[in-house]
Amino acid sequence: MYICNIKLFKRMNEVKEDAFYKKLIVQLEETSSWPSKYLYKFIIKTDKQKIKKIETYFDLKDAVIDTNTSRNGKYTSVSISVIMETPESVVKKYKQIADNVKGVISL
């Protein structure tokens, strides 16, 4: 029974995530003309390897990357300004990072 509840919980989160991304695509289509500059923001526990991993997802683009460490040094924000082709490409990048960088928070 417990395993079934975990599977149900994961599925509910996937449904919420899909709805969130679909809404984001609509909002981006309505508010911008594409291609467009997009600002990604991520928060992560300060870990140079994870920060570098996030940055590598934007290596092939003319991205402007800025990092700021919290006062106590525990967290780092990573801001990335980059030209994206479509709202779908914005969402795809968010999903790539969420799937491959453990502990990242996307804003």
Side-chain angles (χ1 to χ4, degrees):
M1 178 101 173
Y2 183 70
I3 293 172
C4 184
N5 287 339
I6 290 173
K7 288 180 181 179
L8 179 61
F9 179 74
K10 285 182 180 180
R11 180 66 187 135
M12 287 172 47
N13 281 342
E14 289 171 5
V15 169
K16 287 180 185 177
E17 184 178 292
D18 286 344
F20 169 79
Y21 284 128
K22 285 178 183 177
K23 184 177 178 181
L24 177 60
I25 288 170
V26 170
Q27 289 174 335
L28 290 173
E29 288 172 341
E30 292 175 351
T31 60
S32 301
S33 57
W34 296 89
S36 184
K37 185 181 279 192
Y38 187 79
L39 179 63
Y40 288 90
K41 289 189 155 252
F42 303 99
I43 304 289
I44 192 153
K45 284 189 176 181
T46 300
D47 178 329
K48 289 181 181 183
Q49 290 178 333
K50 287 184 179 182
I51 294 166
K52 185 65 180 166
K53 192 170 187 178
I54 291 170
E55 292 174 352
T56 61
Y57 284 96
F58 298 92
D59 274 355
L60 300 176
K61 300 183 180 275
D62 293 329
V64 177
I65 301 172
D66 183 41
T67 59
N68 291 304
T69 305
S70 64
R71 278 184 250 167
N72 65 7
K74 190 173 180 178
Y75 294 95
T76 298
S77 68
V78 182
S79 300
I80 303 164
S81 180
V82 63
I83 301 293
M84 298 300 290
E85 294 299 317
T86 65
E88 291 81 7
S89 65
V90 170
V91 168
K92 183 178 178 182
K93 192 67 67 180
Y94 272 126
K95 287 181 177 182
Q96 284 178 328
I97 292 170
D99 290 345
N100 293 293
V101 183
K102 186 175 171 118
V104 69
I105 299 170
S106 302
L107 303 176

